[in-house]
């Protein structure tokens, strides 16, 4: 019987529904068990201006717990120069607000499978990852890169959790300097907004031209606060003026008397004008 001419596609990339490419992962070269990673190009329009560019970011699913950010970076560095690696418990957007905390101040990470975002320097690296043969596994633990597990990993984590007081003081000082800098920038921004939205005595706002490309902001927080404060003062004066019923009644009487006085003055003025008018036929 002649051998079959049909060839298996194990030496090619393995695709699954959803646009994911399956990569084979092996803990060490002497283990037979393999793990599967699911990767595809990260394309989210909402994150166009974030640290995950659409054409250079690789989205990775099913990352095992023994793979840290450093291990993932070394695994994918064979496809190109890596700019950054980020591991999360579940997919999500980038949160860059506020100063970044050191790892010693962060809550302990959950132990489990992770999702990752690998940002390359070049867009061609994404194609190289997606075309990687499925039967060629990525080896995690090698002679050059030792990955500890079990008790050895716990000992390493405990040792890394201990920090010298000098190093801790340096981290705290750096954090406080960053915090003070951000606070000064925020105060300067609020001061500039207050100057641009400054009102005169009659309530007019001076509108100035901002830098090119800046979005118009018709109202600022400071201007809104001043408007509310002015309305509260007017309401308070009105309440104090007509607090009692007899005060309100007297105010109405004075207003009516003033109107009658003006009416009588107008009548006298009209009568005087009529008396001074002369008939001049020629």
């Amino acid at each position: 019987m002649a051998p079959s001419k049909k060839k298996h596609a194990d030496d090619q990339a393995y695709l699954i529904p959803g646009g994911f490419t399956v990569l084979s992962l092996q803990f060490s070269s002497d283990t037979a068990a393999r793990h599967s990673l699911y990767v595809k190009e990260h394309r989210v329009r909402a994150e166009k201006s974030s640290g995950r560019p659409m054409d250079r970011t690789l989205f990775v699913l099913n990352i095992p717990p023994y793979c840290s950010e450093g291990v993932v970076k070394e695994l994918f560095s064979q496809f190109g120069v890596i700019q950054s690696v980020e591991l999360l418990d579940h997919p999500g957007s980038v949160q860059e607000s506020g100063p970044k905390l050191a790892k010693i101040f962060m809550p302990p990470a959950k132990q489990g499978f992770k999702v990752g975002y690998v940002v390359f320097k070049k867009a061609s690296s994404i194609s190289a990852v997606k075309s990687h043969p499925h039967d060629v596994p990525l080896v995690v633990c090698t002679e050059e890169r030792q990955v500890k597990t079990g008790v050895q990993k716990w000992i390493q984590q405990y040792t890394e959790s201990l920090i010298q007081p000098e190093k801790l003081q340096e981290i705290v000082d750096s954090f406080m300097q960053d915090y003070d800098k951000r606070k000064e920038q925020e105060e300067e921004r609020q001061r500039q907004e207050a100057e641009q939205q400054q009102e005169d005595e009659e309530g007019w706002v001076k509108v100035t031209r901002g830098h090119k490309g800046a979005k118009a902001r018709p109202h600022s927080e400071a201007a809104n606060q001043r408007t509310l404060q002015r309305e509260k003062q007017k309401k308070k004066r009105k309440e104090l003026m007509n607090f009692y019923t007899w005060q309100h009644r007297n105010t109405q009487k004075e207003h009516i008397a003033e109107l009658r006085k003006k009416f009588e003055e107008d009548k006298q003025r009209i009568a005087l004008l009529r008396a001074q008018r002369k008939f001049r036929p020629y």
Side-chain angles (χ1 to χ4, degrees):
M1 183 175 180
S4 175
K5 295 182 180 180
K6 185 177 180 180
K7 296 182 180 179
H8 296 284
D10 292 341
D11 57 342
Q12 298 180 359
Y14 181 46
L15 301 177
I16 61 174
F20 286 93
T21 302
V22 181
L23 298 180
S24 181
L25 187 68
Q26 191 174 2
F27 182 77
S28 61
S29 57
D30 56 350
T31 58
R34 293 188 179 184
H35 182 77
S36 296
L37 297 178
Y38 307 100
V39 301
K40 74 173 183 178
E41 185 177 356
H42 178 63
R43 289 184 175 274
V44 178
R45 294 183 179 180
E47 298 182 0
K48 186 181 297 184
S49 60
S50 66
R52 303 171 186 169
M54 295 176 57
D55 57 338
R56 295 186 289 110
T57 304
L58 184 71
F59 180 53
V60 187
L61 287 177
N62 206 30
I63 300 176
Y66 51 80
C67 288
S68 61
E69 292 185 358
V71 173
V72 173
K73 185 175 183 178
E74 292 186 9
L75 285 175
F76 288 94
S77 60
Q78 58 180 306
F79 303 105
V81 181
I82 295 178
Q83 181 176 339
S84 64
V85 175
E86 184 181 8
L87 299 184
L88 301 175
D89 296 330
H90 51 79
S93 59
V94 181
Q95 297 181 355
E96 300 179 352
S97 60
K100 187 177 181 181
L101 293 175
K103 291 185 178 181
I104 59 175
F105 298 111
M106 298 292 291
K110 297 180 180 179
Q111 299 297 326
F113 291 87
K114 304 285 186 178
V115 298
Y117 298 90
V118 182
V119 181
F120 290 94
K121 287 286 187 179
K122 297 182 180 179
S124 58
S125 301
I126 301 294
S127 302
V129 175
K130 296 170 66 176
S131 61
H132 184 72
H134 178 258
D135 63 336
V136 180
L138 304 177
V139 182
V140 176
C141 184
T142 60
E143 295 181 357
E144 296 80 7
R145 181 177 63 250
Q146 296 292 330
V147 179
K148 297 180 179 181
T149 58
V151 178
Q152 298 296 329
K153 182 179 180 181
W154 296 343
I155 295 175
Q156 181 182 3
Q157 291 177 348
Y158 174 76
T159 305
E160 292 177 352
S161 64
L162 301 177
I163 185 171
Q164 297 296 328
E166 296 80 6
K167 182 65 175 178
L168 180 61
Q169 185 65 40
E170 182 181 352
I171 294 174
V172 173
D173 293 341
S174 177
F175 176 83
M176 293 306 301
Q177 289 177 2
D178 189 14
Y179 174 79
D180 294 338
K181 183 178 180 180
R182 289 174 177 268
K183 188 175 181 180
E184 291 178 358
Q185 292 176 354
E186 181 66 19
E187 292 177 352
E188 180 66 18
R189 184 185 64 82
Q190 293 180 358
R191 187 185 63 81
Q192 293 179 358
E193 288 185 355
E195 291 179 355
Q196 292 179 358
Q197 301 294 338
Q198 188 174 4
E199 299 178 357
D200 56 15
E201 297 179 355
E202 298 180 356
W204 292 94
V205 179
K206 181 180 179 181
V207 181
T208 57
R209 182 186 298 272
H211 62 275
K212 187 176 181 181
K215 295 183 178 180
R217 289 182 293 179
H219 299 286
S220 64
E221 187 67 20
N224 293 336
Q225 292 294 335
R226 288 195 299 270
T227 303
L228 292 176
Q229 189 67 21
R230 188 166 57 252
E231 293 296 333
K232 289 181 180 179
Q233 292 177 357
K234 290 182 179 179
K235 186 176 181 181
K236 186 176 180 180
R237 287 196 300 267
K238 186 176 180 181
E239 291 177 353
L240 292 176
M241 183 181 299
N242 300 325
F243 182 76
Y244 296 103
T245 306
W246 63 270
Q247 289 181 340
H248 184 65
R249 190 183 302 115
N250 291 340
T251 303
Q252 288 182 341
K253 289 181 178 180
E254 292 177 357
H255 183 62
I256 293 174
E258 186 177 357
L259 291 177
R260 288 178 177 176
K261 182 179 179 181
K262 290 184 178 180
F263 178 72
E264 294 297 333
E265 292 178 355
D266 293 339
K267 285 177 61 178
Q268 294 178 4
R269 188 180 300 108
I270 293 174
L272 181 61
L273 292 175
R274 287 179 177 176
Q276 292 179 353
R277 186 177 59 183
K278 296 180 181 180
F279 179 71
R280 298 178 179 177
Y282 302 103

